[in-house]
């Protein structure tokens, strides 16, 4: 079972407990045996947007799963309902997303089965979010991250309030009335905040956006993302989560305007 | 029981000279002491019903249910030792979820029943264990339609149109036969597979349970009704409160009527 002790001049000490088994200092990088990248995302989804409005939460994501820069799968739903009052919007690796769906669906089925006999309450959005953030942090700590950024939107039946929070592959967590992952955090988040604060104020004390207003803002943001994010597609879905439950819209697209492109000079095969 | 004092009844791993396993037969006795459990297969789903006898007035209403979910689409109603039932339910849930894990599709009622029965049967092979004091009715709707099975302590299981186990199962079975026969007659004339709907079936199951209930021996009971049909989204769920109430009212009325006739 135990091997011979490593010779003193060995470049790699597999018995080290701390630091973890690693190359001795001063060795060149290709001498690293077991150390390397744990994985890389392969088929990926881009930004997810989330926004609280007066009746609940809206989450938007487009239908594209890219293979690198190739727009490989154009009909992928990245919004996944969990029970009656929770929904995930998932960016990042799509196979990890599929695995996540399977795991969480199994968990919810188990909860449902118990609910019938013991009439115990169903998992709240917060419960699911905490579970996810624990999972993501535990996995990144094993150097084997779940390669996603997730928005959890929901309706808390007990507190009678909406829920919106973010967790990503590093186990980073935060919550805000407007949220966005990836490119959306740079391009859409300022627009979402602007619209949100225009009514609710910086402290969020004022009235929230109405359903129509919220939908309009999200559609605008999806358009901006389509213009500027090369991994996006002009085909997206918006989910709404209210006290009534989850509804996911059919795929739709934003009206785009490309006339200005004719005036652009310096790209492509132009003669003048 | 003829076995008393004859030996052969201490271990399930020893046959009696006439080829019986007395421990298994004793396990059946444990089932017969329990409140009746009924399963009824309809054209649009399955209904499960249980007469849950209350041994104390101090019990919380709705506690210690005997019907449980094994998966979204499968329910189990058990009669016998409550703790054995809980263990088996847990085991069957694991079986159902492992099937999903392996094949990424819901387990069929037939396969799940088969696996549970194999588990029960193993407890009739060894001297170190006792058989489950349990008869379980497993009902569900899968892609092959609505299915109903009953597994006995020996591990044997059969598929049914309707089945009853526990105290007063004989009376319950004759009542069920009447329903099934009526259904068969209407089939022959109308040329449909089955005309009984789950909504009608819950009234029938409630009526039978109230009929079978022995007022003199057992004081009180709670009626448990679950179903799997379109109304429940093809998921195993409790029968909604209003429907349960009205089924109980009708059952009580039918009972009164029956008494007047006598």
């Amino acid at each position: 079972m135990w091997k011979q002790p490593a010779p003193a001049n060995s470049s790699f000490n597999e018995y080290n407990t701390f630091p973890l088994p690693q190359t001795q200092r001063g060795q060149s990088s290709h001498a690293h045996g077991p150390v390397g990248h744990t994985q890389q995302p392969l088929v990926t989804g881009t930004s997810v947007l989330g926004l609280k409005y007066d009746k609940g939460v809206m989450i938007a994501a487009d239908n594209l799963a890219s293979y690198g820069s190739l727009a490989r799968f154009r009909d992928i739903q990245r919004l996944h309902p969990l029970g009656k009052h929770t929904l995930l919007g998932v960016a990042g690796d799509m196979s990890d997303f599929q695995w996540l769906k399977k795991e969480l669906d199994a968990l919810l089925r188990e909860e449902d089965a118990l609910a019938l006999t013991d009439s115990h309450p169903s998992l709240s959005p917060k419960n699911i979010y905490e579970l996810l953030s624990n999972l993501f942090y535990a996995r990144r700590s094993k150097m084997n991250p779940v390669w996603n950024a997730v928005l959890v939107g929901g309706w808390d039946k007990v507190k009678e309030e909406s829920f919106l929070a973010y967790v990503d592959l590093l186990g980073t967590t935060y919550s805000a009335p407007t949220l966005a992952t990836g490119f959306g955090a740079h391009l859409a988040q300022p627009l979402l905040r602007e619209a949100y604060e225009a009514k609710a104020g910086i402290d969020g004390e004022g009235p929230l956006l109405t359903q129509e207003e919220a939908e309009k803002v999200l559609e605008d943001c999806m358009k901006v993302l389509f213009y500027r994010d090369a991994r996006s597609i002009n085909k997206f879905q918006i989910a709404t989560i209210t006290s009534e439950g989850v509804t996911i819209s059919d795929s739709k697209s934003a009206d785009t305007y490309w006339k200005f492109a004719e005036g652009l000079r310096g790209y492509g095969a132009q003669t003048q | 029981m003829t076995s008393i004092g004859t030996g052969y009844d201490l271990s399930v791993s020893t046959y009696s000279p006439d080829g019986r396993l007395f421990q298994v037969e004793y396990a059946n006795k444990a089932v017969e002491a329990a409140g009746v459990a009924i399963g009824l297969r309809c054209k649009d789903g399955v209904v499960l019903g249980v007469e849950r006898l209350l041994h104390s007035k101090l019990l919380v209403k709705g506690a210690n249910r005997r019907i449980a979910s094994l998966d979204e689409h499968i329910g189990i109603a058990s009669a016998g030792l409550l703790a054995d039932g809980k263990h088996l339910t847990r085991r069957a849930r694991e079986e159902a979820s492992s099937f999903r894990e392996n094949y990424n599709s819901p387990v069929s009622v037939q396969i799940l029943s088969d696996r549970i029965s194999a588990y029960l049967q193993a407890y009739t092979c060894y001297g170190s264990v006792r058989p489950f004091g349990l008869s379980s009715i497993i009902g569900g709707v899968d892609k092959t339609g609505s299915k109903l099975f009953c597994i006995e302590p020996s591990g044997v299981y059969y598929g049914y149109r309707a089945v009853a186990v526990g105290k007063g199962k004989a009376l319950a079975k004759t009542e069920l036969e009447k329903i099934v026969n009526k259904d068969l007659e209407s089939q022959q004339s109308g040329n449909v597979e089955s005309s009984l709907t789950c909504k009608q079936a819950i009234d029938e199951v409630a009526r039978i349970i109230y009929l079978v209930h022995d007022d003199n021996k057992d004081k009180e009971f709670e009626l448990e009704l679950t179903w799997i049909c379109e109304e429940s989204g093809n998921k195993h769920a409790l029968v909604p409160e209003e429907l349960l109430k009205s089924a109980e009212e009708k059952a009580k009325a039918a009972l009164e009527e029956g008494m007047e006739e006598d």
Side-chain angles (χ1 to χ4, degrees):
Chain A
M1 201 165 15
W2 296 99
K3 294 183 204 159
Q4 291 295 311
N9 63 353
S10 165
S11 62
F12 169 68
N13 182 356
E14 62 185 312
Y15 295 109
N16 264 355
T17 52
F18 184 83
L20 289 167
Q22 62 176 288
T23 314
Q24 281 170 0
R25 272 162 204 268
Q27 295 291 326
S28 64
S29 65
H30 61 256
H32 286 271
V35 182
H37 294 295
T38 49
Q39 49 162 269
Q40 49 175 338
L42 224 63
V43 178
T44 58
T46 184
S47 323
V48 181
L49 311 180
L51 171 63
K52 284 194 179 181
Y53 73 106
D54 61 0
K55 295 267 165 28
V57 196
M58 272 185 207
I59 292 187
D62 71 18
N63 290 118
L64 179 64
S66 308
Y67 181 64
S69 59
L70 175 71
R72 182 68 183 82
F73 305 103
R74 297 152 159 269
D75 194 20
I76 300 297
Q77 190 182 109
R78 296 195 288 125
L79 304 171
H80 182 65
L82 286 170
K84 254 191 142 174
H85 292 98
T86 310
L87 178 124
L88 304 186
V90 181
D93 190 83
M94 287 295 105
S95 55
D96 276 358
F97 170 43
Q98 288 175 343
W99 172 81
L100 213 53
K101 279 197 283 195
K102 199 174 165 185
E103 290 291 307
L104 290 169
D105 284 349
L107 176 77
L108 259 76
R109 251 194 310 276
E110 195 181 326
E111 288 287 319
D112 273 354
L114 292 173
L116 184 118
T117 10
D118 303 338
S119 62
H120 77 170
S122 53
L123 289 178
S124 69
K126 171 105 168 134
N127 290 147
I128 290 172
Y129 174 63
E130 294 298 327
L131 179 125
L132 271 180
S133 47
N134 283 333
L135 171 74
F136 278 49
Y137 180 68
R139 284 286 298 270
R140 81 101 217 201
S141 300
K142 289 180 191 155
M143 300 293 279
N144 183 205
V146 182
W147 213 290
N148 296 113
V150 179
L151 294 191
V152 180
W155 181 264
D156 192 315
K157 279 194 287 182
V158 181
K159 291 187 193 153
E160 299 252 295
E161 62 185 30
S162 57
F163 180 90
L164 181 61
Y166 169 99
V167 59
D168 67 15
L169 69 165
L170 301 174
T172 318
T173 59
Y174 46 85
S175 178
T178 69
L179 281 177
T181 74
F183 237 127
H186 300 93
L187 297 176
Q189 178 71 303
L191 302 172
L192 292 169
R193 275 187 195 148
E194 189 179 35
Y196 180 84
E197 285 169 8
K199 274 187 90 178
I202 296 172
D203 52 8
E205 298 287 311
L208 299 190
L209 299 172
T210 64
Q211 168 129 6
E212 293 74 30
E213 288 168 335
E215 226 169 292
K216 170 88 177 38
V217 175
L218 280 176
E219 281 172 16
D220 271 352
C221 289
M222 291 309 284
K223 172 153 72 177
V224 170
L225 282 167
F226 174 58
Y227 277 139
R228 314 228 87 127
D229 175 2
R231 301 291 165 266
S232 70
I233 198 175
N234 191 13
K235 183 179 171 193
F236 58 90
Q237 286 169 290
I238 298 180
T240 53
I241 307 103
T242 66
S243 59
E244 307 285 307
V246 175
T247 49
I248 300 175
S249 79
D250 290 337
S251 292
K252 48 186 159 185
S253 51
D255 294 329
T256 49
Y257 176 81
W258 294 103
K259 262 280 161 73
F260 63 88
E262 286 173 13
L264 289 178
R265 288 292 173 271
Y267 299 99
Q270 280 140 9
T271 49
Q272 37 169 353
Chain B
M1 198 144 281
T2 54
S3 65
I4 292 170
T6 62
Y8 306 113
D9 69 341
L10 295 180
S11 163
V12 83
S13 65
T14 308
Y15 286 109
S16 78
D18 48 353
R20 290 152 63 187
L21 290 172
F22 288 127
Q23 279 299 320
V24 172
E25 293 181 16
Y26 298 161
N28 279 311
K29 291 277 173 200
V31 176
E32 279 163 32
V36 74
I38 292 174
L40 183 52
R41 199 157 67 91
C42 317
K43 102 175 156 183
D44 58 340
V46 180
V47 174
L48 298 176
V50 155
E51 169 207 21
R52 179 154 41 79
L53 299 171
L54 302 174
H55 63 271
S56 164
K57 281 195 192 309
L58 301 178
L59 285 169
V60 175
K61 193 173 178 296
N64 303 316
R65 286 185 179 281
R66 280 169 47 199
I67 306 184
S69 291
L70 298 184
D71 200 332
E72 277 177 358
H73 60 300
I74 303 177
I76 184 169
S78 46
L81 304 181
L82 199 69
D84 283 19
K86 289 219 157 178
H87 171 78
L88 193 72
T89 298
R90 203 185 157 118
R91 171 70 207 209
R93 275 182 192 150
E94 274 170 28
E95 206 66 61
S97 76
S98 101
F99 189 96
R100 278 199 191 251
E101 185 115 324
N102 288 329
Y103 302 112
N104 205 16
S105 79
V107 66
S108 72
V109 188
Q110 157 89 52
I111 288 174
L112 186 61
S113 300
D114 190 76
R115 292 192 181 181
I116 300 170
S117 82
Y119 185 69
L120 285 190
Q121 191 274 336
Y123 282 74
T124 67
C125 299
Y126 305 95
S128 55
V129 295
R130 63 168 174 80
F132 281 74
L134 208 59
S135 274
S136 306
I137 300 174
I138 293 169
V141 176
D142 55 36
K143 63 183 175 194
T144 63
S146 59
K147 289 279 139 63
L148 186 66
F149 294 92
C150 178
I151 312 178
E152 291 162 34
S154 62
V156 74
Y157 75 105
Y158 298 109
Y160 289 94
R161 282 290 302 274
V163 67
V165 291
K167 208 180 279 185
K169 68 172 175 192
L171 180 53
K173 274 181 178 170
T174 33
E175 289 297 318
L176 287 169
E177 274 170 25
K178 282 183 206 165
I179 297 169
V180 171
N181 281 338
K182 212 165 90 184
D183 206 27
L184 285 173
E185 278 164 27
S186 72
Q187 271 175 52
Q188 277 151 8
S189 55
N191 199 21
V192 278
E193 209 230 308
S194 163
S195 61
L196 189 72
T197 65
C198 282
K199 240 182 183 154
Q200 296 165 321
I202 55 174
D203 287 346
E204 297 290 356
V205 172
R207 183 181 61 77
I208 296 170
I209 288 176
Y210 267 85
L211 180 72
V212 165
H213 177 68
D214 190 346
D215 252 340
N216 302 321
K217 279 199 196 139
D218 309 306
K219 283 249 165 56
E220 284 186 38
F221 75 101
E222 264 178 45
L223 177 66
E224 263 181 68
L225 280 181
T226 66
W227 62 1
I228 306 139
C229 57
E230 216 151 86
E231 278 101 325
S232 71
N234 282 322
K235 290 184 176 168
H236 183 234
L238 296 175
V239 168
E241 196 68 34
E242 323 87 70
L243 288 178
L244 180 73
K245 281 247 171 68
S246 90
E248 276 188 302
E249 294 304 320
K250 284 180 205 166
K252 282 176 192 164
L255 208 58
E256 295 276 309
E257 213 172 285
M259 289 216 187
E260 280 161 24
E261 279 171 25
D262 288 336

